[in-house]
């Protein structure tokens, strides 16, 4: 039997995502009520600019006083889609203190301060859900947190930023350089006017922190994630990848160590074989591979950003949180019982693709090979080309620790016959 008294919802932010949330709540009100077991009522919308025209948004619900809205004693659920650290953090904790559960799309806040937010939710008997914080519409947080709760996840590998995937895809398919591909992404609306958060890997790093924490039941913040952007990726790197039967993707990689005693979390460009499913992820789409002991390999694929896809994830969380409210219960909170340390990037073991500019004369390859051997890095393949006294060496290693590779490159730079290190890229997915 459906409860007639509605559950009241406060919405913080009414931009691209907030407007879509409002539209769906309005047009699908009957379906949402049937799925929840009670009507849901949008009781207030907090915005910074009340005079901005927002089609389909009831003007009488709009307010600039977000604090007063979340302090109302009749609010059951607060949806936060304003982003950033403050005032979002204060508004969320205030909502908990006044009896409301929270649905958030705020990856930056969850990645930086998730433990404190979960603690505040638990203290006040409230829910904190944030499916929309990672990979837009793709169900990923809940499968990791609930569906795989009885399994042991060992690795999460994926493309979690649509802007960077679009740029790299265009570089691969058209031969364009980074700047040209970025300009196209900006013109099409995939890249922000200031694309730093995307192209320097900050967005992906926040998502990696969230995924690693959930997957490995330990606390991982964005400060624990090694981060490299794609601004240094060149058309030559893309061409080298093609010659190897690979493509280049900006990957978020979260791994449990082989001995199970630590985890790593990193974001960086990497070459992956064309045979790997992630290689076929085109345009601005996202895809994530999860490797678990019992379940094996699982792949989650779909649109990773945008108003409607993100709103879909928000509304899914809203339904779950409202059901919990009606049942007088809460859903799963933070699970950090393993307390595993996060190892530094130097401990990460993977393959590498290194391009060197060298003098074109006898003995250079032997010198370079000796340096690799002295630092314990085994060479898999070498390709050499050159003319007019200059040459290029392209070396692919066997698996080696990042620290060992770094010391190898440092020693190579000291050789008189090495003119420069043109590029270094990791090789993943094998």
């Amino acid at each position: 039997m459906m409860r007639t008294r509605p559950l009241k919802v406060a919405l913080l932010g009414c931009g691209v995502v907030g407007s879509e949330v409002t539209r769906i709540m309005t047009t699908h009100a009957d379906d949402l009520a049937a799925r929840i077991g009670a009507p849901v009522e949008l009781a207030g919308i907090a915005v910074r600019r009340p005079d901005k025209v927002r089609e389909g948004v009831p003007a009488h619900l709009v307010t600039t006083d977000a604090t007063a809205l979340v302090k109302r004693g009749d609010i059951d659920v607060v949806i936060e889609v304003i982003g950033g650290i403050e005032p979002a953090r204060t508004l969320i904790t205030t909502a908990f203190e006044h009896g409301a559960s929270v649905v958030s799309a705020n990856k930056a806040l969850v990645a930086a301060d998730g433990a404190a937010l979960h603690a505040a939710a638990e203290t006040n008997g409230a829910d904190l859900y944030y499916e929309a914080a990672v990979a837009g519409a793709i169900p990923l947080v809940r499968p990791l947190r609930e569906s795989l709760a009885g399994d042991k996840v060992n690795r999460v590998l994926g493309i979690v930023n649509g802007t960077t995937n679009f740029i790299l895809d265009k570089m691969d398919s058209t031969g364009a350089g980074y700047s040209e591909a970025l300009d196209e992404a900006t013109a099409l609306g995939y890249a922000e006017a200031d694309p730093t958060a995307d192209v320097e890997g900050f967005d992906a790093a926040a998502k990696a922190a969230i995924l690693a924490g959930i997957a490995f039941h330990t606390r991982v913040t964005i400060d624990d994630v090694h981060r490299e952007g794609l601004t240094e990726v060149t058309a030559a790197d893309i061409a080298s990848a093609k010659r190897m039967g690979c493509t280049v993707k900006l990957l978020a990689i979260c791994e449990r160590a082989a001995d199970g005693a630590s985890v790593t979390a990193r974001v960086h460009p990497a070459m992956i074989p064309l045979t790997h499913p992630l290689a076929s992820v085109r345009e601005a789409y996202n895809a994530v591979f999860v490797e678990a002991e019992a379940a094996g390999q699982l792949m989650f694929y779909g649109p990773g950003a945008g108003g409607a896809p993100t709103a879909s994830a928000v509304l899914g969380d809203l339904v779950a949180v409202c059901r919990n409210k009606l049942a007088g219960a809460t859903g799963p909170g933070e699970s950090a019982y393993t307390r595993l340390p996060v190892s530094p990037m130097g401990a990460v073991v993977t393959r590498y693709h290194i391009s060197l500019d060298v003098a074109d004369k006898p003995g250079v390859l032997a010198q370079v090979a000796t340096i690799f051997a002295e630092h314990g890095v085994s060479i898999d393949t070498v390709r050499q080309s050159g003319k007019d006294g200059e040459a290029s060496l392209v070396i692919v290693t066997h698996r080696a620790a990042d620290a060992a590779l770094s010391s190898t490159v440092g020693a190579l730079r000291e050789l008189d016959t090495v003119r420069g290190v043109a590029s270094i890229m990791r090789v993943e997915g094998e």
Side-chain angles (χ1 to χ4, degrees):
M1 186 176 192
M2 183 179 295
R3 192 182 81 166
T4 57
R5 184 173 67 82
L7 292 160
K8 294 192 175 184
V9 178
L11 176 62
L12 307 182
C14 199
V16 173
V17 176
S19 296
E20 278 295 315
V21 169
T22 301
R23 182 188 66 80
I24 295 171
M25 287 188 66
T26 302
T27 59
H28 296 178
D30 291 343
D31 285 336
L32 290 172
R35 294 165 190 172
I36 291 168
V40 284
E41 175 188 321
L42 195 54
I45 304 171
V47 300
R48 287 183 298 176
R49 293 179 292 170
D51 298 330
K52 180 180 177 181
V53 177
R54 297 175 175 86
E55 187 176 347
V57 177
H60 70 280
L61 295 180
V62 174
T63 178
T64 57
D65 194 343
T67 301
L69 179 60
V70 300
K71 283 184 175 181
R72 281 175 47 174
D74 63 335
I75 298 296
D76 295 290
V77 183
V78 170
I79 298 175
E80 183 271 311
V81 289
I82 55 178
I85 304 300
E86 288 292 355
R89 174 167 48 199
T90 298
L91 290 171
I92 288 174
T93 54
T94 301
F96 289 145
E97 292 165 0
H98 287 78
S101 289
V102 172
V103 172
S104 176
N106 196 331
K107 54 188 168 287
L109 180 56
V110 175
D113 213 16
L117 293 177
H118 275 293
E122 183 177 2
T123 297
N124 292 281
D127 274 324
L128 173 63
Y129 277 48
Y130 42 87
E131 183 67 66
V134 181
I138 304 172
L140 192 55
V141 170
R142 198 170 304 158
L144 282 173
R145 192 161 68 169
E146 299 178 30
S147 302
L148 294 173
D151 207 339
K152 182 180 180 182
V153 176
N154 291 317
R155 195 176 197 225
V156 179
L157 168 75
I159 298 163
V160 294
N161 182 273
T163 300
T164 53
N165 199 57
F166 180 89
I167 291 170
L168 290 170
D169 182 42
K170 289 303 172 185
M171 291 176 70
D172 182 85
S173 60
T174 69
Y178 165 75
S179 296
E180 297 168 88
L182 173 60
D183 288 344
E184 183 175 353
T186 303
L188 292 173
Y190 290 121
E192 301 287 345
D194 179 2
T196 303
D198 293 323
V199 300
E200 294 293 355
F202 290 100
D203 175 85
K207 296 169 182 176
I210 295 170
L211 293 175
I214 298 171
F216 307 134
H217 302 278
T218 194
R219 286 181 179 170
V220 181
T221 71
I222 191 168
D223 292 334
D224 297 317
V225 181
H226 173 83
R227 176 191 55 79
E228 299 172 28
L230 54 73
T231 55
E232 300 300 318
V233 176
T234 66
D237 293 327
I238 302 293
S240 291
K242 284 188 173 182
R243 284 192 290 270
M244 289 177 57
C246 294
T247 189
V248 178
K249 299 292 186 182
L250 186 77
L251 298 179
I253 305 170
C254 311
E255 294 178 305
R256 189 190 300 268
D259 62 3
S262 65
V263 299
T264 59
R266 51 196 164 104
V267 168
H268 54 71
M271 296 180 179
I272 58 172
L274 293 176
T275 54
H276 195 284
L278 289 179
S280 63
V281 178
R282 308 295 300 275
E283 299 283 332
Y285 278 79
N286 285 191
V288 178
F289 248 75
V290 176
E291 298 176 10
E293 285 197 354
Q297 292 186 333
L298 308 171
M299 184 171 173
F300 300 82
Y301 170 85
T310 305
S312 172
V314 169
L315 268 296
D317 278 352
L318 176 65
V319 169
V321 168
C322 286
R323 286 171 175 170
N324 291 343
K325 281 280 184 180
L326 292 179
T330 56
E334 183 190 33
S335 176
Y337 72 93
T338 63
R339 296 183 175 85
L340 295 174
V342 182
S343 296
M345 187 62 189
V348 171
V349 176
T350 189
R351 298 179 69 204
Y352 291 86
H353 175 280
I354 305 106
S355 295
L356 303 175
D357 295 325
V358 300
D360 187 13
K361 60 183 185 181
V364 174
L365 180 56
Q367 284 183 316
V368 169
T370 297
I371 293 294
F372 274 84
E374 288 175 347
H375 290 82
V377 179
S378 176
I379 294 175
D380 183 16
T381 62
V382 177
R383 186 176 70 252
Q384 183 174 5
S385 61
K387 61 180 179 178
D388 299 328
E390 298 297 327
S392 173
L393 284 179
V394 176
I395 297 170
V396 179
T397 74
H398 289 289
R399 291 174 61 83
D402 187 84
L405 195 282
S406 295
S407 63
T408 301
V409 171
L412 289 171
R413 294 183 193 276
E414 298 298 318
L415 290 177
D416 292 338
T417 51
V418 174
R419 311 299 193 212
V421 180
S423 70
I424 304 171
M425 192 170 293
R426 298 170 183 87
V427 181
E428 300 284 349
E430 297 184 313

